[in-house]
């Protein structure tokens, strides 16, 4: 190179000077802190149409040719998100199973991204790999699951359940299924009809096909009918099928029902089946000192999926798969290509799951578990459950509200105009329509956020409290709001045939569901 001196430091358009980084970071943190303070005063959601959101974003704008000022970009991004988002961190957000996120977790994500360890292999992430292992062990300890288990972080409950399902598939195949495929094995998986839809995706992805899932009836409380399960296993065996695993729910997604895990464990021992527990919603409630035996028996399972981005309040995403025999994960996932030279002195996480490069999801959970300790986890989960109980106890005090179920931190109920007789054949379809529209208005209104369940065929409103910001006052605001909006919707929708008096002559066909 005759003329040009070789560059000492490369000028890159993405690089930021440390002063600039500090300045941008301080500004952003100030804005986030103000945003968090403002949450209770904001609507839970602006309830905008997709067209309005796309317009705010100028969604059709082409890719810019030249770069822009990062301060402007961060400020624009924050403004767009703060003004056009649904806030699951709002004290009155109780939809689906979505928690408020710990602010410390947001800082943890920043730190993880700054160091950017690739937690796919130990040499690429020495400390991060060990911190993940420690966090997995702490989660097992929290649940009273054997601390010698294997486990890893994944994106969420679905992925954690898939990982366990695939571990079970290989463990119970009785052959090298990973090479030969599932052809002709006729492996069968059992779960209650209340099981989350991950089950279909798992059976599909695992090559068993959704026909391999045996959906077992649940009882009046939404728990799997163990006798029906046993009968189905026996009839499958008789037909030459291969029962492989049973999935138990530690908190169903609709109503928080807990399957009788001790009985499922006994059944799995008897038939030599893999017991997997889906604890994505309720698993962490096993940490409570007064947790029922039905739930604490998850410690007997061959594998458990939990979701730190639910009841450990981690920012999205964080799921965690635990497998009692750590070797089973390697059996299900490890390959050793020639271009990897990681050694086996420590855990290389790409051996334990489907991912290759992996981010440092464990850090935010590592921070949270030490920020609050076991005592803090127990306190927050207990309070959420207590608030759901409080809500459920208030429902019958309001003429016009009918209580359905309460388990863990989920309460379900509906609006029934006081002059209508529920369960009358002519009334039920209207109540479904009425409550469906009521839910839509509540969701768009921004005062609270609920989702729904269908309970014995009836459309119910559903509040699931996994929210460390929710107070008693927030809960007390809900029933009068539902009654007020319910009456408005009823006044608009009620068909002429159901005007007062029309239905009273109709005797109730069923006892009300409790
Ligand atoms: C939320 C949930 C899932 C799915 O978890 P994601 O984190 O949404 O992937 C699975 N099972 C149950 C019981 C759940 O509540």
């Amino acid at each position: 190179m005759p003329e040009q001196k070789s560059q000492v430091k490369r000028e890159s358009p993405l690089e930021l000077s440390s002063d600039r980084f500090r300045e941008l970071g301080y500004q952003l943190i100030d804005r986030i802190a103000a945003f968090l303070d403002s949450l209770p005063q904001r609507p839970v959601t602006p309830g905008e149409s997709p067209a309005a959101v796309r317009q705010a974003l100028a969604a059709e704008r082409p890719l810019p040719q030249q770069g822009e000022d990062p301060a402007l970009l961060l400020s624009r991004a924050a403004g767009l998100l703060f003004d056009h988002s649904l806030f699951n961190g709002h004290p009155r957000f109780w939809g689906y199973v979505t928690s408020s996120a710990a602010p410390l977790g947001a800082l943890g994500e920043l730190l993880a991204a700054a160091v950017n360890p690739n937690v796919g292999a130990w040499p690429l992430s020495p400390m991060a790999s060990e911190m993940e292992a420690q966090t997995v062990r702490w989660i097992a300890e929290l649940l009273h699951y054997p601390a010698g288990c294997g486990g890893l972080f994944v994106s969420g409950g679905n992925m954690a359940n898939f990982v366990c399902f695939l571990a079970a598939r290989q463990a119970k195949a009785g052959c090298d299924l990973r090479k030969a495929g599932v052809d002709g094995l006729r492996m069968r998986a059992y779960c209650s009809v209340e099981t989350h839809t991950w089950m279909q995706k798992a059976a599909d992805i695992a090559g068993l096909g959704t026909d391999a899932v045996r959906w077992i009836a649940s009882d009046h409380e939404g728990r799997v009918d163990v006798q029906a399960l046993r009968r189905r296993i026996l009839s499958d065996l008789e037909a030459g099928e291969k029962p492989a695993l049973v999935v138990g729910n530690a908190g169903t997604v609709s109503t928080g029902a807990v399957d009788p895990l001790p009985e499922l464990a006994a059944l799995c021992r008897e038939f030599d089946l893999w017991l997997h527990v889906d604890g994505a919603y309720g698993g962490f409630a096993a940490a409570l000192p007064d947790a029922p035996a039905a739930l604490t028996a998850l410690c007997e399972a061959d594998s458990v999926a939990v979701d730190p981005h639910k009841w450990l309040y981690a920012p999205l995403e964080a799921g965690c798969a635990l497998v009692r025999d750590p070797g089973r994960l390697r059996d299900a996932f490890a390959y050793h290509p020639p271009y990897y030279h990681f050694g086996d002195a420590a855990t290389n996480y790409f051996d334990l799951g489907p991912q290759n490069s992996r981010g440092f999801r464990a850090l935010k959970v590592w921070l949270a578990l030490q920020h609050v300790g076991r005592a803090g986890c127990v306190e927050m989960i207990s309070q959420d459950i207590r608030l759901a109980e409080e809500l459920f106890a208030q429902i019958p005090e309001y003429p016009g509200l009918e209580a359905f179920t309460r388990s863990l931190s989920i309460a379900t109920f509906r609006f029934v105009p006081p002059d209508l007789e529920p369960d009358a054949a002519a009334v039920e379809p209207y109540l479904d329509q009425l409550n469906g529209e009521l839910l839509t208005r509540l969701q768009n209104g921004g005062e609270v956020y609920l989702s729904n369940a269908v309970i014995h065929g009836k459309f119910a409103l559903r509040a699931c409290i996994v929210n460390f910001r929710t107070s008693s006052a927030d809960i007390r605001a809900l029933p009068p709001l539902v009654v007020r909006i319910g009456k408005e919707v009823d006044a608009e929708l009620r068909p002429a045939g159901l005007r007062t008096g029309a239905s009273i002559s109709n005797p109730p066909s069923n006892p009300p569901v409790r």
Side-chain angles (χ1 to χ4, degrees), residues 97 155-159 161 196 198 249-253 278-282 307 309-310 316 318-319:
V97 185
S155 55
N158 262 36
M159 284 303 295
N161 281 307
H196 187 277
W198 70 265
N249 286 292
T252 58
V253 63
D278 177 6
Y281 162 47
D307 225 353
H309 70 207
K310 288 180 175 172
L316 295 162

Side-chain angles (χ1 to χ4, degrees), residues 339-362:
Y339 44 83
Y340 283 163
H341 185 67
F342 296 133
D344 55 10
T347 299
N348 298 308
Y349 275 104
F350 86 105
D351 277 342
L352 305 192
Q355 268 186 276
N356 192 63
S357 293
R358 297 174 74 247
F360 191 12
R361 290 197 177 96

